[in-house]
Amino acid sequence: IQLSIPNAVLTGNDRFTLRGVGNNALAGVDPGVPTFVNGAAIGYPPQNEFFDIARIEVLRGPQGTLYGRNTTGGAINIITRKPGTEFGGEVSVQAGNYDNIRLGAAVDLPLGSVAALRLAGYSLDRDGYTRNVATGHDVDGRDQWGARGSLVFNLGEKTDATLMLSRFEEDSSRAR
């Protein structure tokens, strides 16, 4: 995000600042630019991979009216993709050096005219690219996966309700 958004900086302790405004205090203090997923506060930037994202909204300046307290520098809102009305899906495979393999998949399952389900997930496995000379083991390796299910109920012409469940696991040797 920080390389795509002007004046957005991810500080050393995993907190965003926008236009130099944020909160770089240690643990126990709310960030000045919190991160939200579909409008729900998660506080710190997510440690898992971004997947199945529709868009990322970056709002600069105080956002207390929209998001409440502790948004003095702004807010980052990650919007996930909603289920489609037709059956379909996508699969992605990425491979790279250090035995890097990233698999991703998503499928839309319409459930009549009232509801729709979207299942999405990814898996990432990579060897570390830094060697610990004391132990001889690689460091900075990644071994993680995430999955999300979104169920949308159409309650009326301009009303819907969404139930979203997600799971993330990581057993990596990275610093963060």
Side-chain angles (χ1 to χ4, degrees):
I1 291 176
Q2 94 173 358
L3 300 177
S4 300
I5 310 286
N7 300 319
V9 176
L10 183 62
T11 62
N13 62 0
D14 293 339
R15 292 178 182 231
F16 281 106
T17 63
L18 292 173
R19 297 183 300 179
V21 180
N23 187 344
N24 204 16
L26 298 175
V29 178
D30 290 334
V33 181
T35 304
F36 300 84
V37 174
N38 297 323
I42 59 172
Y44 298 95
Q47 296 299 311
N48 58 331
E49 295 281 310
F50 293 130
F51 70 100
D52 203 38
I53 301 296
R55 68 184 182 277
I56 298 176
E57 301 171 343
V58 177
L59 304 167
R60 298 181 194 326
Q63 299 297 321
T65 302
L66 293 175
Y67 292 103
R69 67 184 191 103
N70 300 328
T71 55
T72 55
I76 297 175
N77 195 9
I78 300 166
I79 308 296
T80 60
R81 290 181 59 188
K82 292 198 175 245
T85 57
E86 296 182 14
F87 176 78
E90 57 199 45
V91 175
S92 68
V93 177
Q94 298 175 2
N97 56 353
Y98 299 97
D99 292 329
N100 182 47
I101 299 289
R102 187 183 193 284
L103 306 172
V107 63
D108 286 322
L109 303 167
L111 305 172
S113 62
V114 178
L117 175 67
R118 182 169 181 90
L119 302 172
Y122 79 96
S123 172
L124 175 61
D125 189 20
R126 181 193 75 214
D127 291 345
Y129 45 78
T130 306
R131 181 159 301 275
N132 182 333
V133 294
T135 64
H137 294 102
D138 290 335
V139 184
D140 297 326
R142 305 284 293 274
D143 182 10
Q144 64 186 52
W145 64 269
R148 179 174 48 246
S150 302
L151 181 62
V152 173
F153 297 97
N154 295 320
L155 304 176
E157 186 176 317
K158 296 183 181 181
T159 307
D160 63 33
T162 303
L163 173 65
M164 184 179 299
L165 300 171
S166 62
R167 174 93 174 149
F168 166 72
E169 285 195 21
E170 181 172 16
D171 184 21
S172 298
S173 61
R174 63 184 176 148
R176 297 194 172 144

